[in-house]
Amino acid sequence: MKENRFLKVLIILFGISIIFYRFSNLNADLTGESFSNIPCLWIGDEAWNSGNAIHKYLTNEWMCNYYNHIIISPIMPLIQYYFFNLFGLSTITVRMPSVVISLLLIFVGILFFNIKFNKGNDKTLKYIVLFIYLFLIGTNKDFYIFSKLAFIDIPMIFFGTLSLFAISLALKVKKYRNKIILSSLSGISLALSILTKASGIQFVFIFALFTLFYFFIFKDQKRSNILLILFAVFLGGI
């Protein structure tokens, strides 16, 4: 019990530190130019990803004269525009959606672990694995950098991971109604991943391998459930 209590405290403290460092120094100007002074006209990924949302906030028009990233990746500009309306336009609010979504991605990973260990009695092993997960993802340099800038890679991964999480739940629940709901949500998340960034198409192949694995290890009765789930995913994606 004392070991579990120590691990719980360690996990909570490490989780708080992850949140703190994600939100710290969000207004750091890496380019030497202010976001608010030259809206929609910067050079770099943060500029291309955020230009349409800023232009919409300032002029009530989505399309810029320079680069309209929203045409191929509309999800993040819509989220950023919502943040601008809530908190105003600044370097911090440009980057804040990436921070929030990166934390949600970490939380979805925790939920995956909870599914794996929720029926087990070995709580110590659960907490150890959870701490290792938080330590690895919390100290990963690339993940840290991408989650603090207005990039669309982390949101794309979040929606793709959320899709896999929803389908894993759909394969476990028994009621057909819940299977349909979760499968539809999985399809919606998969579509959002692709609409966030086109390379989210990779999750379609991961999703296919995931469901094929379950299809071949289950018996005929459960195979029909998988086909039903896939059909619901397809409808949700549309």
Side-chain angles (χ1 to χ4, degrees), residues 42-98:
W42 326 308
I43 298 175
D45 285 358
E46 287 193 290
W48 300 329
N49 296 336
S50 310
N52 292 111
I54 294 174
H55 198 257
K56 171 66 175 176
Y57 181 77
L58 294 176
T59 68
N60 203 32
E61 296 289 339
W62 280 108
M63 296 301 168
C64 302
N65 295 324
Y66 178 59
Y67 189 86
N68 293 299
H69 199 263
I70 194 173
I71 295 174
I72 57 174
S73 301
I75 301 302
M76 276 303 287
L78 291 171
I79 296 175
Q80 286 178 317
Y81 178 65
Y82 178 75
F83 270 76
F84 297 160
N85 283 320
L86 286 177
F87 307 109
L89 175 61
S90 68
T91 307
I92 293 176
T93 54
V94 166
R95 294 168 174 168
M96 192 182 295
S98 296

Side-chain angles (χ1 to χ4, degrees), residues 54-238:
I54 294 174
H55 198 257
K56 171 66 175 176
Y57 181 77
L58 294 176
T59 68
N60 203 32
E61 296 289 339
W62 280 108
M63 296 301 168
C64 302
N65 295 324
Y66 178 59
Y67 189 86
N68 293 299
H69 199 263
I70 194 173
I71 295 174
I72 57 174
S73 301
I75 301 302
M76 276 303 287
L78 291 171
I79 296 175
Q80 286 178 317
Y81 178 65
Y82 178 75
F83 270 76
F84 297 160
N85 283 320
L86 286 177
F87 307 109
L89 175 61
S90 68
T91 307
I92 293 176
T93 54
V94 166
R95 294 168 174 168
M96 192 182 295
S98 296
V99 176
V100 174
I101 292 174
S102 73
L103 295 174
L104 291 175
L105 176 58
I106 294 174
F107 181 70
V108 171
I110 294 174
L111 294 179
F112 264 116
F113 283 111
N114 191 56
I115 292 176
K116 176 65 178 176
F117 291 100
N118 64 348
K119 294 182 179 180
N121 295 321
D122 194 348
K123 297 293 184 181
T124 302
L125 178 61
K126 174 182 177 180
Y127 294 136
I128 290 175
V129 172
L130 181 57
F131 175 75
I132 293 174
Y133 162 72
L134 288 176
F135 177 80
L136 291 176
I137 200 167
T139 58
N140 184 280
K141 180 188 70 174
D142 294 328
F143 183 74
Y144 177 75
I145 293 172
F146 274 66
S147 65
K148 287 175 65 72
L149 297 175
F151 293 163
I152 56 179
D153 302 82
I154 297 299
M156 178 265 292
I157 295 172
F158 164 71
F159 287 118
T161 305
L162 186 63
S163 175
L164 295 176
F165 175 69
I167 199 65
S168 66
L169 287 180
L171 290 167
K172 289 181 176 296
V173 297
K174 296 181 178 180
K175 293 184 179 180
Y176 280 101
R177 179 175 176 271
N178 293 338
K179 286 182 181 291
I180 296 298
I181 293 174
L182 288 168
S183 302
S184 300
L185 290 175
S186 178
I188 293 171
S189 297
L190 191 62
L192 289 174
S193 177
I194 298 170
L195 291 173
T196 302
K197 189 175 182 179
S199 55
I201 193 72
Q202 62 188 293
F203 282 98
V204 174
F205 300 104
I206 298 173
F207 187 93
L209 292 173
F210 185 79
T211 50
L212 281 174
F213 172 76
Y214 275 90
F215 185 81
F216 284 109
I217 66 171
F218 283 144
K219 296 180 180 180
D220 292 340
Q221 183 177 0
K222 289 190 176 181
R223 285 182 180 179
S224 62
N225 291 341
I226 294 175
L227 292 175
L228 175 67
I229 287 171
L230 289 176
F231 180 69
V233 169
F234 175 74
L235 291 180
I238 292 177

